[in-house]
């Protein structure tokens, strides 16, 4: 019975890797199309803590050129940034022609963590709900493609992932005191998300919800959906002929012991 289960798990893993490789090839075509056509793309990833946003972003960007596809994950705002127009902090990171910008959390911090944790005033929060849809419509009118994804995870699955982070030294860095607060304020976050959707799930820039209880399915589904929402054509890559190395005329390589090599440990 155990052997049968192992074979099933191995087959699922192979299927996942094969599907991901297929999607990666399409992402490269998308990247070349964005670059050649001068498109401007913004992709926003939001959701609960431990919902799998980071893993999906990692798989999405893995085959792409970091000069074309850039990930923005801003930290706590400075005192100067707190005094600015709220969206001003994010505007410098918007894409130029031929770029894809991925926001690992975004201006929606105000409608989520800032609202729930009391990091903004009620007036600032209400102004965000009014102005955010207009801000995003402005982006679309300027020619930017904006996609928004909300990663939805059940409380049971989140608890399991939090425990995994706490117990594993390789994942412990992912766990923060804010995670404990978000866990204890589950209902407040749920209510804040519902209000956020009611105000910002617009026809021009809708929210797309990703069922993220199964991480691998969430990754594949999300990447596939992104590919479906940005019209692109497969580019015919120009053939590249590798030139031969020139003859070593008049060049004498320094002795090997003149350089410090990394020890051959493996």
């Amino acid at each position: 019975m155990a052997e049968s289960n192992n074979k099933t798990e191995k087959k699922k893993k192979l299927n996942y890797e094969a599907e991901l490789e297929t999607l990666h090839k399409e992402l490269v075509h998308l990247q070349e199309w964005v670059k050649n056509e001068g498109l401007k793309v913004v992709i926003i990833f939001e959701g609960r803590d431990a919902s799998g946003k980071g893993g999906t972003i990692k798989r999405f960007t893995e085959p792409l050129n970091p000069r074309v596809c850039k990930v923005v994950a801003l930290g706590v705002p400075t005192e100067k940034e707190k005094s600015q127009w709220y969206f001003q902090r994010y505007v410098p990171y918007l894409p130029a022609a031929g770029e894809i910008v991925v926001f690992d959390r975004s201006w929606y911090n105000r409608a989520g963590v800032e609202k729930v944790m009391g990091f903004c005033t009620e007036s600032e929060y209400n102004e965000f709900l009014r102005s955010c849809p207009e801000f995003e419509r402005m982006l679309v009118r300027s020619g930017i493609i904006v996609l928004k994804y909300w990663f939805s995870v059940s409380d049971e699955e989140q608890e399991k992932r939090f425990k995994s982070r706490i117990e594993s030294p390789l994942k412990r860095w992912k766990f923060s005191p804010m995670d404990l607060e978000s866990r204890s304020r589950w209902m407040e976050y749920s209510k804040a998300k519902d209000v956020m959707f009611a105000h910002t799930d617009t026809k021009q820039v809708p929210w797309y919800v990703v069922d993220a209880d199964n991480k691998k399915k969430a990754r594949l589904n999300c990447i596939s959906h992104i590919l479906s929402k940005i019209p692109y054509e497969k580019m015919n890559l120009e053939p590249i002929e590798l030139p031969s190395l020139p003859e070593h005329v008049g060049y004498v390589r320094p002795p090997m012991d003149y350089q410090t090599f990394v020890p051959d440990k493996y």
Side-chain angles (χ1 to χ4, degrees):
M1 186 68 177
E3 185 178 351
S4 176
N5 289 337
N6 288 337
K7 287 182 178 179
T8 301
E9 288 302 315
K10 187 175 182 180
K11 185 177 179 181
K12 285 182 179 179
K13 184 176 180 180
L14 288 173
N15 288 341
Y16 167 73
E17 296 295 342
E19 291 294 335
L20 186 59
E21 183 179 358
T22 298
L23 292 173
H24 276 177
K25 290 176 181 177
E26 291 300 317
L27 283 174
V28 172
H29 286 298
L30 172 65
Q31 169 187 261
E32 294 305 306
W33 182 258
V34 167
K35 187 169 64 174
N36 281 274
E37 295 298 310
L39 300 182
K40 294 176 281 187
V41 181
V42 165
I43 307 175
I44 293 172
F45 287 84
E46 293 283 351
R48 291 190 182 274
D49 295 314
S51 61
K53 300 181 301 298
T56 302
I57 292 171
K58 181 178 179 181
R59 273 68 180 187
F60 175 80
T61 59
E62 189 175 9
L64 303 181
N65 184 342
R67 292 180 178 84
V68 176
C69 182
K70 303 172 183 180
V71 177
V72 177
L74 301 183
V76 178
T78 63
E79 289 303 314
K80 179 180 179 180
E81 288 171 335
K82 289 178 183 178
S83 71
Q84 295 172 340
W85 173 52
Y86 180 69
F87 296 100
Q88 187 172 339
R89 186 177 184 225
Y90 298 93
V91 168
Y93 299 97
L94 294 174
E99 291 182 346
I100 301 170
V101 172
V102 173
F103 281 98
D104 184 357
R105 297 204 180 278
S106 65
W107 44 83
Y108 282 101
N109 277 340
R110 175 135 296 177
V113 62
E114 290 191 18
K115 162 63 176 174
V116 174
M117 301 303 299
F119 296 155
C120 67
T121 66
E122 197 66 20
S123 175
E124 289 171 333
Y125 169 69
N126 289 329
E127 177 56 33
F128 172 82
L129 295 178
R130 283 193 297 267
S131 60
C132 181
E134 283 305 315
F135 174 68
E136 292 178 349
R137 290 188 188 103
M138 287 170 60
L139 298 183
V140 172
R141 287 198 300 270
S142 74
I144 299 176
I145 297 171
V146 182
L147 299 175
K148 303 187 301 194
Y149 292 93
W150 177 269
F151 281 67
S152 178
V153 64
S154 66
D155 54 349
E156 296 87 2
E157 182 62 25
Q158 186 191 54
E159 181 177 359
K160 187 167 71 173
R161 293 177 188 178
F162 276 164
K163 287 181 178 178
S164 175
R165 289 181 178 185
I166 293 170
E167 294 166 2
S168 170
L170 298 179
K171 298 179 180 179
R172 187 64 182 266
W173 65 270
K174 295 182 177 182
F175 197 83
S176 70
M178 194 62 71
D179 291 332
L180 292 175
E181 287 291 340
S182 70
R183 182 71 184 167
S184 64
R185 305 191 186 202
W186 181 273
M187 289 307 301
E188 288 93 329
Y189 272 99
S190 295
K191 293 174 183 177
K193 176 255 182 182
D194 292 342
V195 174
M196 181 184 79
F197 266 49
H199 285 80
T200 63
D201 186 16
T202 62
K203 181 179 179 180
Q204 295 85 356
V205 191
W207 278 104
Y208 298 106
V209 179
V210 180
D211 182 351
D213 270 8
N214 183 312
K215 287 183 179 181
K216 291 183 177 180
K217 285 179 64 177
R219 294 166 190 164
L220 297 178
N221 287 332
C222 185
I223 294 173
S224 176
H225 190 267
I226 291 171
L227 289 166
S228 74
K229 299 305 293 183
I230 305 174
Y232 70 97
E233 296 178 14
K234 292 186 178 182
M235 305 291 294
N236 293 320
L237 302 178
E238 294 293 328
I240 298 175
E241 186 174 340
L242 195 65
S244 302
L245 286 175
E247 294 185 16
H248 294 225
V249 179
Y251 172 73
V252 178
R253 186 172 183 175
M256 299 291 281
D257 58 4
Y258 276 29
Q259 303 168 69
T260 303
F261 281 84
V262 172
D264 213 1
K265 187 177 179 180
Y266 297 100

